[in-house]
Amino acid sequence: MIGFIVALTGGLGNALVTVNLPYLQGSLGVYAAEIAWLPAAYVMANVSMNLLLVKFRQQYGLRLFTELFLLLYVMATVAHLFVHGLASAIAVRAAHGMSGAALTVLGLYYVLQAFSKEHRLKGVVIGVGFAQLALPLARLFSSELLEISEWRGLYLFELGMALLALGCVLLLPLPPGDRVRAFEKLDFATFALFAPGIALLCAVLALGRIVWWLEAPWLGWCLAASIVLITGALMIEHHRATPLLNTRWLSTASMLRLAASVLLIRIVQSEASATVGLLQSLGMSNDQMQTLWLATLAGSVAGIMASAWTITPARIQPSLIFALALMAIGAFMDSRATSLVRPEQMLVSQFLLAFGGTFFLGPTFVSGFGAVIAAPRNLISFSLMFTIAQNLGGLLGSALVNSVQVVREKYHSSQLVEHLTMLDPQVAARIQGSAAALGGAVGDPAVRSAQGVASLGAAATREANILAWNDVFLAIGVVAVATIAWMLAHQLWNRCTASQVAPASNPQAGLSHVALNNSGSS
């Protein structure tokens, strides 16, 4: 229970904000480009703190890290309740990102303590999956929180979750682990370059689709600076005797494939946000989608349970392919939407997408952890790689989905409007019918005719948006199928060259022996 509470606290606050960005934008009185800094600030802080988290835990203990940043998170949230502005909201999100980096790991450790050694692999899947329930849960009850006290309802609940998690950690501490002197001076030089580099990259991905990629010069400067800073950090690590990030290990074929797999699957998972965009373009609010979010939550829970039940080292690759196949089916089902579609027609497809999204996560994590067991000093590198692929994959997926939708909407609008001419009897009749409907309210015939033209234009824009979202769903399905083909091709290649490849280590045995013992010292 504590593992569930702690892991959920690590992501639920950010999920509540992400789901309700339009409402927060109105309450803060800011533009869309300004409110987009809130989820970006969370990812910036979360990814950066993961760089130091493992070594901090080794030297000072994870509990101290969690208590410090939970207290920071609580204080920032309390301050935001009294100082209401964009700057304080960004500070809360950054504090949540820093504490969330520790809470996700801490939640996993608590879950593992509840499992015996022979079932620790199942515990890994469940512990990693708990954090994925934050978004569907946020969509289910965030509207009620807004009714309590508008934006303050969200932050009061977030504050309550942080205090509850802090109380749970103090009530039932984990067994103390072995502490060693882990930090070196060059670690902070790497962090000083890597953290702002990642922050600038997150800013580009979060705001590029809003200010548009080729229209805002500052995006180019941020991207260029990000490349320079991250490259500088990697150069320092590449030439260190005891690197914080093992660049040689991360650049091996197996690690690059794992990072690419996580990134691609996260892009496929962005289909859920595309579904929200489609339904919102049809004029539906979150309250009208509650049945859909129940199906999504059920699919997420079912995916975690099924993955935990079936996980074995031999089934990792088939599990990934199965999850991708389900997500591809769900995306293709949604690609046939019309203006008459309602949330009830998307229950099956969203269940499949949610199931596949949580089913893949545990096997992906375990497949990479097997390589860490062979070289435990690479734990920091693996943790950072997995976190970056997860978080930046989510930002990249959202950016790509929305950018493709904008481009395709302009294309479909041009195609539809091209045929709308008053010389067409059907178009003229449609305009006259819309104008006649306003006869009792508008007396001026010219104004009624203009309103009829505007009504037809709005209908054309709506249909163009629907066609664009269908293109997005189709593209996501194609990406999922292409990823499956790539995995199958690689698996076939490995079988053909099996005589030249050493047998892989057993993640099950390693997890039980090294990283997940009851002392918590790993």
Side-chain angles (χ1 to χ4, degrees):
M1 287 296 295
I2 292 178
F4 174 74
I5 291 170
V6 170
L8 203 60
T9 304
L12 188 56
N14 185 60
L16 289 170
V17 169
T18 303
V19 169
N20 295 285
L21 277 182
Y23 306 105
L24 291 173
Q25 179 185 342
S27 64
L28 289 170
V30 297
Y31 295 105
E34 294 173 308
I35 200 68
W37 283 103
L38 297 187
Y42 174 86
V43 178
M44 290 175 186
N46 188 274
V47 174
S48 299
M49 291 311 300
N50 270 284
L51 185 62
L52 299 180
L53 173 61
V54 176
K55 280 202 170 183
F56 190 99
R57 178 175 57 80
Q58 291 172 342
Q59 187 160 332
Y60 300 106
L62 184 61
R63 180 178 177 179
L64 177 61
F65 182 95
T66 306
E67 291 172 0
L68 285 176
F69 283 100
L70 266 176
L71 286 173
L72 172 65
Y73 179 27
V74 168
M75 289 188 292
T77 307
V78 171
H80 183 58
L81 292 173
F82 295 97
V83 184
H84 183 46
L86 181 63
S88 61
I90 292 175
V92 173
R93 296 276 59 78
H96 185 204
M98 287 187 286
S99 60
L103 290 174
T104 303
V105 178
L106 190 67
L108 173 60
Y109 286 166
Y110 270 103
V111 172
L112 291 174
Q113 291 298 317
F115 285 82
S116 58
K117 287 188 176 182
E118 60 269 20
H119 296 299
R120 288 281 165 85
L121 204 56
K122 302 182 188 301
V124 171
V125 175
I126 294 174
V128 172
F130 275 159
Q132 305 304 307
L133 301 178
L135 193 58
L137 281 173
R139 294 191 187 279
L140 272 176
F141 61 81
S142 59
S143 298
E144 285 73 14
L145 294 177
L146 289 169
E147 292 172 1
I148 294 172
S149 184
E150 296 182 344
W151 62 271
R152 289 180 178 82
L154 296 179
Y155 283 95
L156 284 171
F157 183 83
E158 193 174 351
L159 175 62
M161 287 295 294
L163 291 171
L164 179 61
L166 181 61
C168 289
V169 171
L170 296 174
L171 179 66
L172 184 63
L174 286 170
D178 299 331
R179 297 185 184 181
V180 295
R181 185 175 179 83
F183 281 113
E184 300 176 9
K185 291 181 179 179
L186 278 178
D187 292 341
F188 300 100
T190 299
F191 183 79
L193 292 173
F194 188 82
I198 285 293
L200 291 172
L201 181 58
C202 291
V204 171
L205 292 177
L207 279 87
R209 64 183 178 86
I210 298 174
V211 300
W212 202 245
W213 308 99
L214 304 178
E215 298 296 325
W218 67 268
L219 286 176
W221 290 110
C222 286
L223 185 58
S226 171
I227 294 172
V228 171
L229 290 170
I230 294 175
T231 302
L234 294 179
M235 288 295 293
I236 292 175
E237 293 302 297
H238 191 73
H239 294 95
R240 287 179 63 182
T242 55
L244 186 65
L245 292 173
N246 191 339
T247 55
R248 291 177 175 83
W249 183 74
L250 287 174
S251 60
T252 58
S254 59
M255 287 298 102
L256 290 176
R257 280 195 302 271
L258 178 63
S261 299
V262 175
L263 195 65
L264 287 170
I265 294 174
R266 287 291 290 168
I267 291 174
V268 173
Q269 280 187 291
S270 62
E271 203 270 1
S273 64
T275 303
V276 176
L278 169 66
L279 295 175
Q280 286 178 343
S281 68
L282 293 174
M284 298 181 202
S285 64
N286 192 52
D287 291 340
Q288 297 169 286
M289 307 179 203
Q290 293 301 294
T291 306
L292 185 63
W293 306 140
L294 280 172
T296 301
L297 179 61
S300 299
V301 173
I304 295 172
M305 295 297 103
S307 181
W309 184 264
T310 60
I311 185 71
T312 64
R315 292 176 181 165
I316 288 175
Q317 200 69 11
S319 295
L320 297 178
I321 293 173
F322 176 68
L324 276 167
L326 291 181
M327 289 190 280
I329 292 171
F332 286 133
M333 289 175 66
D334 288 342
S335 67
R336 302 173 63 86
T338 67
S339 58
L340 299 177
V341 73
R342 293 296 179 268
E344 289 72 21
Q345 280 85 55
M346 308 183 82
L347 295 179
V348 176
S349 61
Q350 291 306 301
F351 180 90
L352 293 176
L353 284 157
F355 184 96
T358 53
F359 189 85
F360 97 93
L361 193 60
T364 305
F365 185 84
V366 171
S367 67
F369 212 87
V372 176
I373 292 164
R377 63 189 179 89
N378 293 325
L379 177 61
I380 301 174
S381 302
F382 169 73
S383 174
L384 188 66
M385 181 273 291
F386 194 82
T387 302
I388 289 179
Q390 279 278 93
N391 289 321
L392 292 189
L395 280 180
L396 179 62
S398 178
L400 288 176
V401 161
N402 288 278
S403 299
V404 170
Q405 193 275 335
V406 169
V407 172
R408 296 301 296 173
E409 189 273 333
K410 301 304 180 188
Y411 169 77
H412 288 298
S413 287
S414 66
Q415 294 294 308
L416 292 174
V417 174
E418 181 182 355
H419 301 286
L420 297 181
T421 170
M422 291 296 292
L423 299 177
D424 188 335
Q426 290 183 336
V427 173
R430 174 70 177 266
I431 293 174
Q432 290 173 1
S434 299
L438 298 172
V442 181
D444 190 338
V447 175
R448 288 202 303 268
S449 179
Q451 290 291 333
V453 172
S455 176
L456 182 60
T461 300
R462 184 190 66 233
E463 294 300 324
N465 272 297
I466 294 170
L467 291 172
W469 285 120
N470 285 345
D471 291 344
V472 168
F473 296 142
L474 187 62
I476 290 173
V478 170
V479 170
V481 172
T483 306
I484 293 173
W486 171 52
M487 289 182 173
L488 289 173
H490 175 66
Q491 196 171 8
L492 181 61
W493 174 262
N494 282 345
R495 289 184 179 180
C496 293
T497 58
S499 59
Q500 303 174 10
V501 178
S505 60
N506 188 334
Q508 173 84 47
L511 283 169
S512 299
H513 179 66
V514 179
L516 311 173
N517 52 57
N518 285 327
S519 69
S521 64
S522 56

